[in-house]
Amino acid sequence: MQHVAIQKPCLQFLRTVIFPNGRDKLAERLSQIRLQQWQPWRHTNSQVHCRGAKSKATIQLKDLPQGVLEKNSSVRVREQDGPAYPMMIQQARNNMRKFADCVLLTRVGGFYELYFEHANIYGPLLNIKVAQKKTVVGLVPMAGFPFFQLDRFLKILVQDLSKFVAISEEFANSASDKVKSGGLMFDRKVTRIITPGTLIDEKFMDPYENNFLLAIHPGQGQSLAIPGQITPMELRISKLRSKSLGLAWLDLSTGDFFTQVIDMGSLSSALARIGARETILSDDVANPLQQEILHVLEQDRHLVTRHPIQPELLPISSWLPMLESAVPPADESLFTDVEITAGGLLLSYVREKLQGLGLKLQPPVRRQGNESMGIDKNSLKGLEVLETVKDGMGGGKGSLLHSVRRTITKGGTRLLKDWIASPSMSLQIINARLDLVSEFCHDQALREKITSFLGRTYDSQRLVQKFSMGRGEADDLISLLRTIEATNELASTLEKHISTLKPDAETVENSKVTALPLQTLSSRLSLDGPNALAHRITAAIDEDGLMQSHRFEENSSAEMVSLAQGILLDEGSVDDKEAMSRIMSTKTASKKSMEQESEEETWIMRKSASSTLESLHNTLDDLYQQKVHLTSNLRDQLGAQSLSLRWSPGIGHICHIRGVKDVRTSLKNPASTRDARATKSTRSFYHPEWNTLGGNIDRIKFQIRAEEQRVFQELRERVVSQLVKLRRNAAVLDELDIACSFAVLAQEQGFVRPVLDLTMDHKIVGGRHPTVKLGLEEQGRAFVSNDCFLGEKERIWFITGPNMAGKSTFLRQNALISILAQVGSFVPADHAEIGLVDRIFTRVGSADNLYRDESTFMVEMLETAAILNQATPRSFVIMDEIGRGTTPEDGIAVGYACLHHLYHKNQCRALFATHFHALVDMSKDFENLGCYCTDVAEGLDGSFSYIHRLRKGVNRQSHALKVARLAGVPESAIDTARQVLEGLRSKTQPLSEEAVR
């Protein structure tokens, strides 16, 4: 194994940056450590060089460019306007100017470094020391960290601080480039710009969340101007809502790509549904709608980036170089101009950030508003569909997503979130999903087998995307292999199960389950190409060698840190020890002698991976045999049994003898040797035969590594060639995972299959809130179920009752049941018949928005306006305590107006809860409105309990003072409130509907 000692500039970096208070002894002892830099796909023991500004390069005259110099190669034009820094520092300065909106990380040997103002600004934020690098023009601030900690610091910069980071890597200079750069061995170029929306395979990414990048384009020539000096608010809102926007969003880590056309009024809800990490707007500030879009984005605290828009509209066919396959002509004609422009803006931004890195996205999928249930931003938040209001955590405990999630794959979890945020409006799709859940509920053994196979799979969507971008590693190939193997067994199990089911008409009519849904999914699996790929991976990759290479990698990166920690424990300062603890590996490096030379080589490719590899390995084996014979001959010739043949950095191929006796014996017989170095107990010397043999061994090893790289590249290309099939198979696995998880959920919680149709009914027997029920069970309490029957007879339920008696829970649970049903899940009820819901609206809770100068009541009215303006007869609306943010008289007036509008104008299914009991009398002529209430049971001793089950009727007592006493309000205050309440009741008379006309 070849090693290289840490060079002096690297020691200076360790002394001044990582351990600024260290001692000279630290540098002295660290100089003995051998570092290895491992490329991700290869085990090769490459050397890590830590370079400083005073590096020297030596070339021969024959390597210099000969003949007439090219016009462009005469003199390199300097990009700086200032002092002439050393070339390496100047390269960093030039890149900082070129990528002015980015934090620049420059690779220097085994470290990534920051310079100038970036070091001063971000060094403290990253909790790393800022040092001063001496140059001919003065001190330059610098800070840095080891290369293997890149993901850790990217997380802080990109994910936590929302910064753009430019990664500048090293590229070896040719002989002519060395001359041009003044002897610099490496050029440094930015290879990628990392932003919150362009993450690919970073380790800090959430595997259960999509990382979407969104572009928004309002179209050309759209104006909000309205004739006249005064713009009525209602007219302005109407015009604003009608403006069309083009959306395009993608996930670079999976290759998902979508477009959609929405109106301006739906933008906030679309943003909440998509959940993009970064949003792109064009730099066309002249478009009047851009400012309105920006206001919405700022209100919801989205990260916004400006990017130049294309001067002319390019067709979708121009996207083909970035797609895995072309968009069919029939589908291409469906995309609107605003969608195409948004897509072009998005892809242009991605190309710029990837800096030439290859990319293969899935063809864009055009989303349409009428194909899924609309859940606006307020409903997503109020119903806690994806995250809780309190914690704001995606999928956090208490959300609908958390309560129903039983998926075991990462891709299945991401798909489940997408389904819940966009429930289907297609009866065919919904029933197909429900059929699968029914099948897995009926056959538990089949479900357990499928779940077992899914547990052996990996995140195929992200794996194949890495390969499409040229970033796949050997471990990714093994993960892909295991996924293909599990998919094969899963497909075989499905085929056997399908063959046991009788497809005759009598069975289909009488049986609750058929083979049809499983047949549909099974037919979508493509196995021929992936199986051939799996066989090739198995034949090529040596998994034992791969595991051993990982051990070497861990040991090499831990040796330096382990030794430095020991020194700092003895003589370092407190700051040094804290800095060391941050970078100390949790794994202990293996204890090996620094002087020991290992002959062991690890290869990740099998010898039989190619005929060339097999021939090279045979040649290497012969050379090793020659080495054994030469070692034996020299031992006999010199009389030194401790003699070994080695390679040492800085010395080359040497013969090494250990032990005083053997050293003395060897000196009596020089055997045409030349000493390299010697001590009292060791001797190293050159031998011409070993020099020749060692050179031949190194040459064959180099050829083996080159051939392994060629074979690995071939495997990468094979993965890319199977991209479409592998992604299609991954989609099937994700859908199976969701179906199995819904079946597990149904059996755990006693959910039932809903019946969906095109009526306007909502019939729920024994309905339960899916998350509140779980919370009560954790406390050892039981949940009280309730029925709900909305339809032609009673289109709206008017609900009254005490505080804390469950009115809000009842409202929310019925909305959540509708969502789960159209997602394709069983629902928490004893029986459910639901007419398709096109949109769900909620007006619950209270909050203000001081940033937009909106009071609590203004926020309430904005949400109410959206409901009254947008709800259709097929919508489902829940409204809780409308009008409570103003005076009782105004509140009653607003509440009645909303109820009147829902009943006469919107004519939708609605649950309307309020404490304004006067509304009962005012709406007594509404024939299709039913009144229901909850109650309180009071004991003779003053105790009471809530009756959560709804009954028909009206409860005019809110029992607010009971809640106040439970909350700990002083008894004297409660007595005062009781006296005031009794006085008010004696003066209050119910209002009639005629009184408000």
Side-chain angles (χ1 to χ4, degrees), residues 667-825:
L667 289 173
K668 297 178 182 179
N669 188 1
S672 66
T673 63
R674 178 170 58 89
D675 281 348
R677 63 185 178 189
T679 66
K680 292 182 179 180
S681 59
T682 64
R683 180 191 175 201
S684 299
F685 58 90
Y686 297 105
H687 191 281
E689 193 172 350
W690 169 230
N691 288 342
T692 303
L693 179 59
N696 291 335
I697 291 176
D698 288 345
R699 178 176 54 83
I700 294 300
K701 287 181 180 178
F702 179 81
Q703 293 177 6
I704 290 176
R705 291 163 188 155
E707 178 62 13
E708 282 199 342
Q709 184 176 9
R710 188 198 65 79
V711 173
F712 185 80
Q713 185 60 32
E714 175 205 329
L715 291 174
R716 277 179 168 171
E717 293 171 357
R718 289 199 176 202
V719 173
V720 174
S721 69
Q722 299 298 321
L723 203 60
V724 176
K725 293 181 179 180
L726 291 171
R727 280 175 168 163
R728 186 183 301 137
N729 292 348
V732 173
L733 298 181
D734 293 344
E735 292 182 32
L736 281 171
D737 187 20
I738 294 178
C740 289
S741 73
F742 281 164
V744 171
L745 176 70
Q747 293 191 341
E748 282 182 0
Q749 302 297 324
F751 287 11
V752 299
R753 174 169 181 162
V755 178
L756 289 104
D757 51 40
L758 297 177
T759 66
M760 300 297 182
D761 294 335
H762 181 86
K763 300 178 181 178
I764 306 297
V765 177
R768 306 179 291 277
H769 194 295
T771 60
V772 174
K773 177 179 179 293
L774 292 177
L776 290 176
E777 288 177 347
E778 290 181 358
Q779 303 172 27
R781 300 164 59 191
F783 184 90
V784 178
S785 60
N786 269 301
D787 303 339
C788 181
F789 301 100
L790 296 176
E792 293 184 3
K793 184 177 180 182
E794 293 180 342
R795 196 169 59 246
I796 298 178
W797 274 24
F798 187 97
I799 302 169
T800 55
N803 297 104
M804 295 288 293
K807 299 190 303 298
S808 296
T809 299
F810 176 75
L811 267 60
R812 289 174 169 91
Q813 79 184 33
N814 282 280
L816 292 176
I817 287 174
S818 296
I819 291 174
L820 285 177
Q822 291 185 219
V823 166
S825 168

Side-chain angles (χ1 to χ4, degrees), residues 894-951:
V894 170
Y896 176 77
C898 291
L899 187 61
H900 185 277
H901 199 282
L902 288 173
Y903 186 88
H904 292 286
K905 303 294 184 180
N906 301 110
Q907 300 182 2
C908 58
R909 291 162 283 183
L911 299 176
F912 191 98
T914 185
H915 289 289
F916 293 142
H917 306 121
L919 297 180
V920 176
D921 304 308
M922 298 167 64
S923 59
K924 61 184 180 181
D925 295 333
F926 294 2
E927 296 180 358
N928 301 120
L929 182 145
C931 293
Y932 294 82
C933 65
T934 56
D935 213 336
V936 166
E938 299 186 80
L940 298 177
D941 57 354
S943 62
F944 69 94
S945 61
Y946 291 109
I947 300 176
H948 297 287
R949 192 175 301 280
L950 268 71
R951 62 176 175 83

Side-chain angles (χ1 to χ4, degrees), residues 292-540:
E292 298 292 339
I293 296 174
L294 191 59
H295 283 328
V296 174
L297 291 169
E298 290 177 347
Q299 179 183 4
D300 295 334
R301 299 181 180 179
H302 289 273
L303 176 64
V304 179
T305 305
R306 295 282 189 176
H307 186 71
I309 196 170
Q310 297 169 342
E312 59 182 9
L313 181 65
L314 298 177
I316 289 183
S317 57
S318 65
W319 302 352
L320 184 57
M322 302 182 71
L323 304 178
E324 66 179 19
S325 60
V327 179
D331 295 339
E332 186 174 339
S333 61
L334 300 177
F335 290 85
T336 63
D337 288 348
V338 287
E339 287 177 286
I340 297 174
T341 305
L345 177 66
L346 182 67
L347 296 181
S348 173
Y349 181 80
V350 169
R351 276 193 296 266
E352 177 186 290
K353 300 309 174 186
L354 294 184
Q355 293 287 300
L357 191 65
L359 175 67
K360 290 296 179 184
L361 299 169
Q362 300 181 50
V365 176
R366 189 170 188 268
R367 292 278 180 91
Q368 299 186 47
N370 59 1
E371 66 186 15
S372 62
M373 175 197 291
I375 309 177
D376 67 351
K377 180 187 70 171
N378 299 322
S379 300
L380 285 173
K381 180 180 178 181
L383 297 175
E384 298 184 312
V385 176
L386 301 178
E387 60 185 27
T388 58
V389 174
K390 181 178 180 180
D391 299 327
M393 295 175 56
K397 188 174 183 180
S399 66
L400 176 65
L401 177 60
H402 178 270
S403 66
V404 303
R405 176 191 161 192
R406 301 294 187 275
T407 49
I408 59 176
T409 68
K410 300 176 178 65
T413 303
R414 293 194 299 267
L415 183 61
L416 174 62
K417 180 180 178 181
D418 180 61
W419 282 10
I420 289 179
S422 304
S424 177
M425 281 292 293
S426 168
L427 284 177
Q428 181 180 0
I429 293 176
I430 296 171
N431 286 321
R433 294 174 182 176
L434 292 172
D435 288 342
L436 271 178
V437 178
S438 297
E439 174 72 8
F440 290 127
C441 285
H442 175 76
D443 196 332
Q444 183 174 349
L446 174 64
R447 186 186 74 226
E448 290 176 351
K449 288 181 180 178
I450 298 298
T451 303
S452 174
F453 294 139
L454 291 172
R456 290 162 46 193
T457 64
Y458 292 81
D459 195 346
S460 299
Q461 295 280 15
R462 286 187 168 170
L463 282 176
V464 298
Q465 184 66 4
K466 286 177 67 176
F467 282 102
S468 76
M469 305 182 77
R471 298 171 61 90
E473 305 171 2
D475 293 294
D476 298 324
L477 286 174
I478 298 301
S479 299
L480 206 54
L481 169 64
R482 296 289 174 260
T483 301
I484 296 173
E485 291 173 345
T487 304
N488 270 303
E489 296 183 53
L490 185 148
S492 177
T493 300
L494 289 180
E495 289 177 3
K496 290 179 181 178
H497 177 76
I498 292 170
S499 65
T500 61
L501 299 177
K502 298 179 180 180
D504 57 88
E506 182 179 355
T507 303
V508 172
E509 182 178 354
N510 297 331
S511 177
K512 294 183 179 179
V513 294
T514 71
L516 183 59
L518 286 178
Q519 280 179 331
T520 303
L521 271 184
S522 180
S523 65
R524 289 166 51 192
L525 291 172
S526 302
L527 299 175
D528 292 341
N531 283 341
L533 172 63
H535 292 320
R536 178 56 180 149
I537 294 174
T538 303

Side-chain angles (χ1 to χ4, degrees), residues 22 69 105 209 242 340 349 426 485 572 586 602 619 796 816 859 863 894:
L69 294 177
L105 298 180
E209 295 271 353
S242 65
I340 297 174
Y349 181 80
S426 168
E485 291 173 345
T586 57
T602 58
T619 302
I796 298 178
L816 292 176
V859 171
E863 296 176 2
V894 170

